[in-house]
Amino acid sequence: MSTASQATPRLAPGRSGVKKELPDRFKDYRHVWVFLELERGNVHPVSFELLGEGRKLADKLEVQLAGVVLGPPGEMVEDAVAEAFAYGADLVYIVDAPPLADYRNEPFAKALTDLVNTHKPEILLLGATTLGRDLAGSVATTLQTGLTADCTELDVDSDGSLAATRPTFGGSLLCTIYTLNYRPQMATVRPRVMPMPQRVDKPVGRVMRHKLSLVEDDIVTKVLGFLPDNQSAMANLAYADVVVAGGLGLGAAENLQLVKKLARAIGAEHGCSRPLVQKGWMPADRQIGQTGKTIRPKLYIAAGISGAIQHRVGVEGADLIVAINTDPNAPIFEFAHLGIVTDAIRFLPALTEAFTRRLSPHSRDKLAS
Amino acid sequence: MHIVICIKQVPDSAQIRVHPVTNTIMRQGVPTIINPYDLFALEEALKLRDVHGGEVTVLTMGPPMAEDSLRKALGYGADRAVLLTDRYFAGSDTLATSFALSQAIAKIGETFGRPDIVFTGKQTIDGDTAQVGPGIAKRLDLSQLTYVAKIASIDLKTREIEVARRAEGGTQLLKSRLPCLITMLEDTNEIRRGSLQQALCAARSQVVKWTAADAGIDDLTRCGLRGSPTVVKRVFAPTARAESAAQIDTAEKCLQDIADELIANILTRRPALEHELAFNSGT
């Protein structure tokens, strides 16, 4: 018996052969929606990445792309609406009400569920952030529809169904999941998995404004405060241009110093693969991969990382991937651009020194003189 | 105070291997563990019980062998274990899973006392969806507190709870009401080692085993494959890139030369990086 999640790679009998028989009540569900996440006044970049992806799906289906903005009345919401148009939305649904000032599950889930029931989208995309996952899980449950988490690829099938692909069990394989007989088809996507689309200023499009069918007194959960993270590097990992990361091949926690030293020398962020977080060698915020951060740097150096798909999907968007690993058969060499079969523990100090020699303006000046 | 905690028995993902030829997962001999994230939640539940009194009931849905995980949880100090097991649950996705678990929790409430808090881990390490917790909360109409890093206070008289919750870019401080559902973050707790006495107790205690009917589930169309809106259509290995990594030859070269060659290679492929790296260094 498999009571695993949707991601189980073992196809239960008949599951793969399930046919699409969309009930009549879902036949007028149309258009692609992207939920725009507001984070202290700004739209979270994942929402723009999703608009880029949503645009492609909407064009294939020949339907409209709509943004959904939930927030307090005022400038923040209006700015988000303008951004939604700039990143490709044809129309935007707005629910603006004071209880939507800070994220709480109840009013946000209520607002989004009501919008879906009124306007019936066929596809609804959210960022796989803490907010997006919190919200998507309740909305899908209320709507009794399918939700595929942390997709790495979205496409539309020949019959118009959403094909949502994500890594599965242990991060070794990919699976494509459909929500055949329910609407909307819901999916979340992590930040940085999809490329950022081109921003194009364009005249404001159609706006549909809705009321929130809840008032503050109905809401059980209250926000007492918010403590922003220090402007530490952690928050920047996903958006860093250069990243150095270490894996189990480093052998011991203290060898992570070698990764940090190289990162410091070239102005990079440092990270690690999942097993290191599970061993407690690095904090979870530094984890790169499907369940950690997805990164799209210009240069990625992976030291002692074997490259299971869990990690691969988190770094595939990098422009240049350099892998250092003792095992010539490590899967990372299948998707790295440059590979060195050697022991990262010995090689990292040499690389740090070589970079320092080559890049330090000070030493360059000395050479020139 | 009655606390229900949902755990899941998962394969130890660190030990899963993919068959090199068929690209299928080799499950043979892969040990199972309690989902590591659930252990943080279990420890939190036990701590709260130690402070406020009451009972901790641990619940899992799974095959009969999932009883092992429940016994482990009893060994850590849980008071009661319920195994929800029935062939009708086979193939459940997260929607069907949260339906079955919420029905079982309602039944636990009727049988052993209504829970004040339902705990889950933030997600499982096999599915990684983080959807079952929110699903249970919605179905049982519990206030939903996900990604909780810390429970700041619980007042059983006023039925109020304050938590610190992980959000994008910071920590949100929330006040809510009991009963609630909490999904617990990692790094919050070091799991205790059960005492010998607890281990002996655990070995002797009965695990409550419920079928769908025992849990009061009448509508089997909402369970298992039939109750799952998502359908796994295809499982496949990622395609290798057309070209594999260009290897830098390491034979008979000193590490410094290899490092220089690597940097030269990087900058040939991405000349713009020189400026960025140089710009960054020393700052």
Side-chain angles (χ1 to χ4, degrees):
Chain A
M1 178 169 68
S2 161
T3 49
S5 69
Q6 62 187 199
T8 175
R10 177 169 44 179
L11 299 187
R15 174 168 271 205
S16 60
V18 175
K19 279 223 203 73
K20 182 171 173 176
E21 286 169 40
L22 196 62
D24 283 340
R25 69 180 192 280
F26 290 131
K27 290 208 167 121
D28 54 343
Y29 277 62
R30 209 167 292 308
H31 306 305
V32 177
W33 285 15
V34 169
F35 172 79
L36 278 92
E37 179 171 337
L38 291 173
E39 189 193 348
R40 265 149 293 292
N42 294 310
V43 180
H44 192 295
V46 71
S47 307
F48 301 140
E49 295 159 15
L50 286 177
L51 281 169
E53 195 62 20
R55 185 73 263 166
K56 285 183 216 155
L57 300 177
D59 289 348
K60 263 198 184 172
L61 290 165
E62 297 178 357
V63 297
Q64 293 202 310
L65 173 67
V68 176
V69 179
L70 314 179
E75 210 177 317
M76 184 160 98
V77 162
E78 304 310 324
D79 287 351
V81 171
E83 289 300 298
F85 289 128
Y87 282 102
D90 299 309
L91 75 154
V92 176
Y93 296 99
I94 304 177
V95 183
D96 54 348
L100 299 171
D102 290 297
Y103 178 74
R104 284 169 295 171
N105 181 270
E106 286 169 270
F108 274 70
K110 179 76 178 142
L112 188 53
T113 308
D114 285 352
L115 275 182
V116 167
N117 283 330
T118 311
H119 295 287
K120 305 180 183 342
E122 58 186 322
I123 293 174
L124 171 56
L125 307 177
L126 299 93
T129 57
T130 53
L131 189 163
R133 284 172 144 212
D134 183 280
L135 180 59
S138 354
V139 170
T141 306
T142 308
L143 296 170
Q144 298 280 296
T145 191
L147 167 61
T148 306
D150 295 0
C151 301
T152 54
E153 206 185 315
L154 297 173
D155 201 358
V156 171
D157 220 3
S158 53
D159 69 350
S161 304
L162 178 70
T165 298
R166 71 182 305 251
T168 180
F169 240 126
S172 311
L173 297 169
L174 295 162
C175 64
T176 303
I177 293 172
Y178 288 72
T179 297
L180 291 183
N181 304 323
Y182 301 84
R183 289 293 180 270
Q185 304 161 92
M186 291 179 62
T188 64
V189 178
R190 296 190 147 258
R192 302 297 269 162
V193 169
M194 305 298 180
M196 190 77 166
Q198 201 68 40
R199 187 181 190 283
V200 181
D201 268 311
K202 67 172 190 183
V204 170
R206 211 148 53 89
V207 169
M208 306 270 276
R209 210 173 279 269
H210 285 260
K211 286 213 167 73
L212 179 66
S213 57
L214 269 183
V215 291
E216 185 58 46
D217 286 348
D218 301 334
I219 303 166
V220 165
T221 302
K222 308 289 178 192
V223 179
L224 301 178
F226 187 84
L227 305 170
D229 291 334
N230 312 332
Q231 272 320 68
S232 69
M234 288 182 187
N236 297 328
L237 186 56
Y239 293 88
D241 281 337
V242 186
V243 175
V244 184
L248 269 186
L250 291 177
E254 53 270 26
N255 289 330
L256 281 168
Q257 283 307 326
L258 306 175
V259 168
K260 290 182 195 168
K261 269 188 195 149
L262 173 58
R264 232 181 351 254
I266 61 176
E269 287 297 337
H270 69 272
C272 67
S273 58
R274 172 146 145 176
L276 271 55
V277 171
Q278 283 177 352
K279 282 179 176 289
W281 293 1
M282 236 190 226
D285 278 26
R286 291 279 179 187
Q287 184 189 324
I288 297 169
Q290 170 71 0
T291 50
K293 298 270 194 306
T294 302
I295 58 172
R296 299 181 83 84
K298 292 174 183 162
L299 173 63
Y300 176 57
I301 301 176
I305 292 178
S306 65
I309 191 161
Q310 209 272 346
H311 190 77
R312 174 178 179 162
V313 297
V315 303
E316 237 169 1
D319 290 345
L320 188 64
I321 300 172
V322 175
I324 307 160
N325 202 300
T326 45
D327 175 9
N329 297 316
I332 194 152
F333 292 121
E334 282 169 26
F335 58 94
H337 303 93
L338 277 170
I340 303 181
V341 179
T342 189
D343 181 2
I345 301 167
R346 291 177 55 231
F347 185 65
L348 282 174
L351 186 59
T352 307
E353 199 195 317
F355 264 121
T356 313
R357 220 179 327 116
R358 171 136 191 174
L359 300 172
S360 153
H362 181 63
S363 52
R364 243 196 334 229
D365 290 347
K366 262 203 299 199
L367 285 174
S369 62
Chain B
M1 182 156 68
H2 186 197
I3 298 171
V4 172
I5 156 150
C6 302
I7 65 169
K8 185 180 180 188
Q9 189 177 56
V10 296
D12 186 349
S13 69
Q15 304 202 35
I16 289 185
R17 295 283 174 270
V18 175
H19 193 280
V21 176
T22 58
N23 273 317
T24 50
I25 283 174
M26 304 192 291
R27 290 162 176 261
Q28 239 73 40
V30 176
T32 55
I33 52 174
I34 297 178
N35 175 44
Y37 296 123
D38 299 346
L39 292 178
F40 298 112
L42 175 60
E43 178 61 27
E44 191 66 32
L46 296 174
K47 271 206 288 202
L48 289 175
R49 180 200 59 189
D50 292 347
V51 173
H52 297 281
E55 288 186 320
V56 171
T57 300
V58 56
L59 166 68
T60 196
M61 178 173 104
M65 67 180 254
E67 187 178 332
D68 296 346
S69 290
L70 292 174
R71 292 214 174 271
K72 269 186 207 126
L74 289 170
Y76 288 129
D79 301 285
R80 178 186 302 112
V82 178
L83 172 63
L84 185 61
T85 188
D86 199 312
R87 64 191 174 85
Y88 290 111
F89 300 134
S92 295
D93 72 356
T94 55
L95 194 79
T97 301
S98 69
F99 171 71
L101 286 174
S102 62
Q103 296 284 106
I105 292 166
K107 186 74 182 181
I108 285 171
E110 287 168 26
T111 317
F112 305 111
R114 197 171 170 210
D116 301 287
I117 302 179
V118 177
F119 275 107
T120 71
K122 73 161 184 178
Q123 65 197 52
T124 59
I125 60 163
D126 55 352
D128 274 329
T129 67
Q131 284 163 200
V132 171
I136 293 170
K138 187 52 77 184
R139 289 171 195 280
L140 294 176
D141 199 21
L142 305 172
S143 68
Q144 170 176 325
L145 304 167
T146 53
Y147 301 102
V148 167
K150 189 173 185 287
I151 295 174
S153 70
I154 288 179
D155 189 328
L156 288 173
K157 287 206 188 70
T158 58
R159 310 283 294 158
E160 283 179 339
I161 180 167
E162 289 183 18
V163 301
R165 166 181 190 270
R166 181 76 209 152
E168 293 297 301
T171 302
Q172 208 180 20
L173 306 174
L174 295 175
K175 180 162 140 175
S176 196
R177 204 177 291 161
L178 302 178
C180 66
L181 176 130
I182 292 175
T183 81
M184 207 71 205
L185 272 191
E186 68 273 21
D187 294 337
T188 43
N189 281 310
E190 182 105 5
I191 186 77
R192 67 187 61 189
R193 300 169 66 131
S195 66
L196 183 62
Q197 197 190 357
Q198 278 166 330
L200 291 172
C201 258
R204 280 199 303 267
S205 45
Q206 279 295 96
V207 166
V208 180
K209 283 179 202 136
W210 283 347
T211 61
D214 296 334
I217 300 173
D218 309 321
D219 189 357
L220 293 173
T221 65
R222 298 177 74 182
C223 297
L225 213 52
R226 281 196 293 172
S228 299
T230 59
V231 174
V232 179
K233 278 274 243 195
R234 199 161 76 95
V235 177
F236 57 104
T239 46
R241 280 183 340 126
E243 291 167 66
S244 53
Q247 291 287 346
I248 289 174
D249 185 18
T250 56
E252 292 173 30
K253 281 188 214 155
C254 73
L255 287 171
Q256 267 314 317
D257 288 347
I258 304 169
D260 284 330
E261 196 180 329
L262 172 61
I263 294 170
N265 257 289
I266 289 172
L267 296 177
T268 310
R269 283 162 188 255
R270 303 274 160 189
L273 276 171
E274 176 143 35
H275 171 70
E276 294 196 23
L277 294 169
F279 179 77
N280 283 325
S281 74
T283 57

